[in-house]
Amino acid sequence: MRNFRKYEVWKKSHHFTIEIYKITKKFPQEEKFGLISQIRRASLSIPTNIAEGTARVSEKEFAHFLNIASGSASEVEYLIEFSKDMEYISIEEYENLNIRIVEIRKMLNSLYKKIKG
């Protein structure tokens, strides 16, 4: 059985999600059921799907959950850009988050390729 905590991509996505939760506390209250909910769910989906995938028996199933996590990471990448354009986050916050989510996406892609063999 795999331990999701040993994967560096899980660690990075876990910390990234915590940061998203902190940053979105500053968003306008009117976005509570819109953008805040969407970006939080999408970011949380990344480490959650990595964790769920590690519990699967086959490599194929694990790869499937990594693929879902990657899709969520792409969604978050867009949502942080949208947040910047709406001026809910600063350019500096955007750049920091964008660098991190791109790194996570690359790590997911690399792990996916490794698992798929």
Side-chain angles (χ1 to χ4, degrees), residues 73-110:
S74 293
E75 182 179 354
V76 170
E77 187 175 1
Y78 166 69
L79 292 170
I80 61 173
E81 184 160 338
F82 181 80
S83 298
K84 171 192 57 93
D85 292 345
M86 292 298 294
E87 299 180 353
Y88 296 157
I89 60 175
S90 68
I91 298 294
E92 295 79 22
E93 287 171 318
Y94 166 76
E95 289 172 353
N96 174 40
L97 292 171
N98 191 61
I99 287 167
R100 292 169 67 190
I101 198 63
V102 168
E103 179 184 22
I104 289 166
R105 287 185 62 214
K106 288 177 181 178
M107 292 174 78
L108 285 167
N109 188 46
S110 177

Side-chain angles (χ1 to χ4, degrees), residues 12-21 40 43-44 47:
K12 287 184 181 288
S13 61
H14 171 72
H15 293 294
F16 178 84
T17 300
I18 291 168
E19 187 65 23
I20 287 291
Y21 268 70
R40 285 180 172 186
S43 66
L44 190 58

Side-chain angles (χ1 to χ4, degrees), residues 20-21 23-41 78-80 82-89:
I20 287 291
Y21 268 70
I23 285 175
T24 56
K25 284 182 181 180
K26 301 183 300 183
F27 282 27
Q29 192 60 29
E30 67 203 40
E31 290 291 353
K32 183 175 183 180
F33 300 109
L35 182 58
I36 294 170
S37 176
Q38 186 72 21
I39 197 169
R40 285 180 172 186
R41 282 186 290 115
Y78 166 69
L79 292 170
I80 61 173
F82 181 80
S83 298
K84 171 192 57 93
D85 292 345
M86 292 298 294
E87 299 180 353
Y88 296 157
I89 60 175

